[in-house]
Each structure stands twice: as C-alpha cells, then as structure tokens.
Amino acid sequence: MHQNFMKHTFRTILAAAVAAVAVFSCDKPFELDLPLAVNNHKLTLQKEAGSTHILVYANGPWTAEFSRNIEWASLNKLSGEGNNDLVLSYSANYGISRNVGIILSAGALKDTISITQIGEVAEGSVSFGSAAVALLRSGASMTLPISTNMQYSLSEFKVATEYFDNEGTSLGVDTFGEATPDTLKITPWITVKKLTKSKLDYDVAENATGEVRQAVIRVFVEDATGDVFAATQAVTQGITDAALVLGETAGTYAGFSGEYIIPATENNVYLYSNNLSYTIPETAAEWISAVKLTDIGLSFKLSKNESGADRSATVQVSYQNGESSVSQSYAITQKAYPSAISFEELRAMTPGTISSLQYIEGYIVSSAESENNCQNPQTAQFKFDITETHKTAYIESVDGKYGFQLKFNTAEDNVTERWTRVRISVNGLTLEKETSPVTCYTLSGLTADSIIETLGVADSFLVPAKKKKISDLTDDDVFTLVSLQDVEIMCKDGCYTNCTDGYSLKQGPNPVSGTGSAPRWDVAPLLMSDKNGDVIYMLTNSLTPWRRNGTFYGNYGWGSGSAEPVVAQGSGTFRGVVVSETLVRYGEVGRYQIRAIEQSDIEMENPAFSKTIVEWNWNDKAANVTPEIGEGTLNVYGATTAAASDFNSMMPDEYGTKGQAGLVPSGALKLTHKWWDFTNNVGNYFDISFSTEGISGTNMVFGIVWNHGAMGNTTLDSPAHWNLLYSVDNGATFKQVGEMIKNRSIVWWTTTSQDSTPGFKDHMRKLPAECFGKEKVILRVQVADKVTDTKPGTAAATYLENVGIEKGTLTDKATEIRIGTITVRYN
C-alpha cells in the first residue's frame, strides 16, 4: 500500500508541473527533460530495521548498485526506465554506525546517494588478549583472543599486517581479503585466516631467514562519522626451537577442590595452542580438568575428593609441529577430602596437636581488618605486638551455639572475611583449652591454606547471633556472636576509651601518642548495663579508629575544644563477640566482656531506659560539688576540692596538649584528704545524698568513674579499697552494698607499674529496692582498709614483675583521689 501511495504521489507532482507549464504555453506541447536525478542525496536511517523509497527521475534507462559489497541492506531493483522509485530495505544495526553509497547510472551520467545508519553502539572498543607475542622458528597456526563490543559489525572490520625490518622501518602493509600490493617489500609470512567475535586465526610460516623478523597485526573498523577503533599485536618470530621444562614433576594436594599451577623453568610453546595437546587418563578425567599451558606453567583444576581414599594420575602436555616436538609429564596425588567434625566433638578432644583429617564448618564473626578482635599482648616494658588482633579470628558453629578463637601464624595468613561461611581443616592445628577464669577453646597454627573451602558470604543479619541478657551469658557463649538486649552505656559523656593517648600505641605518620617509643596500654574497658541492673565491660583497643570520634583525628581537627558526646547515648542492642580477657592494668573486669568488631555493632538507637536522679560529671569544668543533673548533695567532709583532668575527650588532642592527647583539663574532681582515721582505726568517706520520694522502679544503680594519683610515682598512696554503704533512715544505720570498689593509680612516666591504669575506670553497684520512695537516701563511699599502691621496684627480673598495685600501706597523710563521674539512675 505504501509503494502504491508513493507512485500516486510521484504522478500527482509530475502532472502538476505539466499543468503549470501549460498556463504559459498553451499552444506548445510540454517536454520535461530530466536525464538523471533523485529526490534526496543523503539519507540517515534509524538503528531499527526498515525500508524507505527513493524517487529516481530520468528520461531513459538507468541502473543502481551499492558502492561496496554489504550484507545489511538490499535494493528491490537494480535497473529501471524513466521516472520510477527504488525501495531500500535494511536490517537493524546492533553495532556501530555504518554507511554505504547507492550509485545511479544513466548512460554517461552518474549520481550517488549517501546512506548512513545509526548504530546501537555509540563508542566502539576492541582489544587483543596480548599486545605482543614472541614465536619460535617453526611455523604454526595461531589463535589470537579478541574482545570487542562490536561483534555485530564484524563484516565492516579490516585486518592488515604491516611488516618491519630490524631497524623498525616499514616494509609495507598486506590487507586481508585484498590483493597483495606491489609496494610490499617482503614476501608475507603471516596469513590471516578468519576473524570472529572472539578470536583471530592466522598462520605463521617457518622462519628460514636465520634472523629475527617482526610484524604488527592490526584489526580496525571505521564508523560512519570517521572514528576508527583498532587493536594491534606485535609479532616477533625468532630462530629458536621448542622448549618446555616444568619446575617439578610430581605433587601432592589436599582433598578439597582448587586451581593450581606448576611453574615452568623453560616454556616458549604456550602460545601455540593449536599445536598443544593434553593427555589425561580416562579414569582421572572426572577429577582433573582445565589442563592448560600458560605463560607461567601448567595449570589444572582438581575437584573435591570425596572417594574416601587418596587418588593419583599423571597428566602430559605435548607440543608437536612438524618434526619439532617436546612434552612434559606431571604426576598428581590428591588426598581424600576431610570428614566433618562438630564443634562439640572438637571441644571434647584432648588438647594438643590434632592429627585427624577433619574439618569444622561455621561463620567467621570477626574481621581481619578490625583493630578490635583481641587484646594485643605486651611483649616488653613499653612494647606491644600490634599484629595480634590481625592474626586473630572467631568462628562460630552454623547454629551459633559454640565458638573457637582462631590464631593464624601471621596477619597475612588471616584471609578471613566477616560473615563468610567457611570450612577449616583441623589437621595439624593445636587445640588449646582454657579453664580459668572461663572454659574456652582456641585453635592455633592456622595458615591461609587451613581454610579449605569458602561457602559464600551471608548477610550479617542471617548469621546466628544469640539474643541474651547479660545475666544469661555462659561459657558456651565465649567466642560467639551475641546480641545483648536492652543495654546502655553507663558513662555517656566522652569517648569509648577513658585514657590518655600520651601513653597509647603509635599509629600512622601523626601518632596519637605523646611518644610512640613508650606506650603503656592497648585496651580500655567501658561499662554497660541492662534493664536488670547487670553489667558487662565493652573492650576497645587503642588503635580502633572510631573509639574517640569516628577517626583518630575526629571531625573537628586539632584543638577544636568540642565537647560533643560520642558514645551511643540511647539503649538497644550491642552485637559483638563475647570474650574473657584479663586486663592487668584495669584489674577485675568480670567473667565475660564483649568486643564490637565494627562500630556498626553498637545499635543503641532507642531512648535510654534509665532516668538520672542525680549526677556529677564536671563537664562544666568547675571544681565544685554541685550536681550537673538533678538534685543532691556531695559531702566531702573537709576534703580539699580541686579540678583534675579527665581522659575521655572525643578528640585525640582536644586542647592542643599533644603529649596528653585525650586529656580533658578540669573535667574531673580531685579530693585530697587524710583518708584513714588512725585514732579510731576506721576509714574516712564522702557521702552522696538525694531524694527518691515519689520514684518507683525495677532497678536503681550507683555508678562512679575514678582512679587516683597525680601521674607521678610519688602520688600512689591513696586508698585502693572502698566500700559502698547506704542509709534510708537519715544516717542512723548504714548497710553494705555489693562487693568492694577498687581505686587504682594512674600511669606515670618513669618506671611505670605494669598494673597502673592510663585513665579512669567505670564501676556500678545495684542498690537495694528499699532505696525507692525515700525522702532521703545517703550513699557512703568509705575506705575499706589501709591497702594502697606503691612505686614498683626498679630491679625487677622482668617487666611483668614491675608491679605496685595494692602492695603498699596507707600512712597518716593527705592523699588524692580523682572522680570523673558520679551518677545515680533507675528504671
């Protein structure tokens, strides 16, 4: 219908022209003289398939043809008579833009119509598998891998070989599919055979010249805009013969699946893929595959050996090209794949070296990149092995019930990725069983090869994390992922590590320590509690980048003075790995602790569940006894008050004192007093008074953040042991609350005790229920005995014997304690 319409239109136009001429010459016949013409000399086609009409004007016979051979378009006729039309049909263009000409001839007259079709590919690309090859003297059939996004334009490609002499001078170009030009100064020794979307096949003749010869093969295509896309490979053919020697002729492999490569000491035949053959015994073809010779050597794959027995086979690679040949054999022995052993069965084994071909399967719940996997051990007075955290990983069983600590030989061996499900061969590892203070299990001696199989990375929420209250924790939870429910951080002002970075580990070009040569600490505890009033310490290493304000250097830069709190302010879930570690510098930290492997493990997004009755935190930098939150009285009974430093700055160097980075001047209260009444042989005290009238709840807690000393070895003799007492009858009677609260000395510069602390420590005690609803509650913090700290001896045999905590006796003189926070809360 479309073609008839076009013919009708053509005739209508022609009739109108004749009628127009007749108006001016009614008495003379009209003759339209158009020897050869077209209605359009340039057509642009869309990329979709279609057809179009071309109107030809002529007063005699004419012919039509394409300017070159193409496959993507056709004409409905190649000749015609007089005025007529052509129908151009064309296929969809999934490649680059393309063009062709339609040449019209009428006698000696010619006219050309330019046809351009837009392509699907706007920017073409083409590349070879290698940019250069070096070939042997013998001839060969070569296969050159090719990669291109123009596979639908292959018919437009050209392949040209340019030859060069040894001086780099061109000897001419030979183009595939075209006659060899007379200008070529050499007999072609490369014959292009076939170009496909994935490879170029070409033959190379034997080099009988006795000299090295060179050529460059170029594959190229030009789109309709004139842009050229090309790839080249330099071919150098030498005069050497074939050589292939493997570095070893036999090997034994574990029973799991894997890819292997045997390096070759001599190998100049790997490029001749068409001349290489591989022999594999028929009985081994099901477990040995992908045998191939590469530029490195002989590569192959082994499948998992689940046969229950070892198996062996020999593979052979051979090169054959005419009379030139070479071959190599390689004997493969594969051990049987280990059998599975449960975590429970492994825990029941006798500690020591394991000689059993078995594996455990579970989830990695740590991260090799984390700085907070475990405590970095102190190896000398001022030295730490900071690689320990990167050599440590934790794996829990698939059901999350049990866990093992994994100790790799080096940090480089620890290739574990968090949330990955893995199988670990236990053969040759050492099983360690700790029984004090908790029962827990460690596998040591791991290498990267100990991970025999990776079964994928799971979404973090799919990895089992036991949801528990703090009181529900058992030894079976150690080294597993646990989500502690409804917890909050006790001391909410400041950072995750209350300690001075002047004594921490050095990291990076701008150390967070005052001197990287004498660090005192690696890990600090932060107390958390839950709705039941139970507590657990969160452990954070000094090199953990988010422990102050997201990075070591914070969000505000050096010396900003920012007082914005950093720790999680609300309550919610704390997901981490439960551990049981000994912190010499901090003393008692409970049976269990928990480590956040990443900051995202701390998910306290709900409002805090506890309400503050009264709190002193000295964030206003005023050394008084007025509470910052709520109403209450702090009675120090004649003790001298003064400002002291806290160590919970969220900035590494908040006030420009780089030697004491993390220190907050005037952020704490110092109380100086004679803390023992030698006349009555009883300890002195300070009291906190407040009202709970009209207040009811489930739990009430008292928290204190403190230590003592002026960071010097002559100020260590403050009381170490204190009792917490309470009274609800206006001081007539006092009763003991919980265990003794300890107060430790803060680190100092020279001959520092190995058990002194780098900052303040958090303590919390649950108060009796009778403290609710009282007009006045008095909490008394009283010295329990005359035990104090002392300067350690300087003639210690080892640095670990350089201790002074709780080794002294209180004398009749005024000494100081420091308090960072006192708080009373309830829920």
Side-chain angles (χ1 to χ4, degrees), residues 378 381 520 583-587 707 744-748 752-758 789-792 799-807:
Q378 189 167 0
Q381 176 68 8
R520 302 294 198 276
L583 274 62
V584 175
R585 292 198 180 278
Y586 285 93
N707 270 328
R744 310 192 83 175
S745 59
I746 301 174
V747 291
W748 62 98
T752 305
S753 169
Q754 292 303 116
D755 48 3
S756 57
T757 63
D789 301 336
T790 186
K791 178 182 177 181
Y799 77 96
L800 289 176
E801 295 175 9
N802 198 19
V803 294
I805 297 299
E806 301 174 318
K807 292 184 177 295

Side-chain angles (χ1 to χ4, degrees), residues 39-96:
N39 66 327
N40 198 338
H41 283 87
K42 187 174 183 179
L43 293 176
T44 299
L45 310 175
Q46 296 304 308
K47 61 186 177 182
E48 293 80 14
S51 63
T52 187
H53 289 256
I54 301 171
L55 302 181
V56 180
Y57 305 91
N59 55 13
W62 50 266
T63 61
E65 62 179 337
F66 287 118
S67 59
R68 58 189 178 87
N69 292 329
I70 60 172
E71 299 176 352
W72 55 272
S74 63
L75 296 170
N76 69 326
K77 63 181 70 173
L78 299 180
S79 62
E81 178 78 24
N83 300 321
N84 212 321
D85 64 348
L86 282 173
V87 178
L88 172 68
S89 299
Y90 48 92
S91 60
N93 186 5
Y94 299 106
I96 57 175

Side-chain angles (χ1 to χ4, degrees), residues 684-743:
N684 288 324
Y685 48 82
F686 58 91
D687 288 345
I688 301 102
S689 302
F690 52 91
S691 173
T692 62
E693 195 168 21
I695 296 176
S696 61
T698 304
N699 298 290
M700 186 184 302
V701 297
F702 164 79
I704 187 168
V705 183
W706 69 349
N707 270 328
H708 69 254
M711 303 181 80
N713 56 19
T714 61
T715 61
L716 311 179
D717 48 358
S718 294
H721 298 161
W722 300 68
N723 287 325
L724 177 65
L725 311 172
Y726 78 98
S727 173
V728 293
D729 55 8
N730 202 27
T733 58
F734 281 90
K735 301 176 183 178
Q736 177 87 20
V737 178
E739 299 176 352
M740 178 191 303
I741 302 176
K742 293 190 176 182
N743 187 295

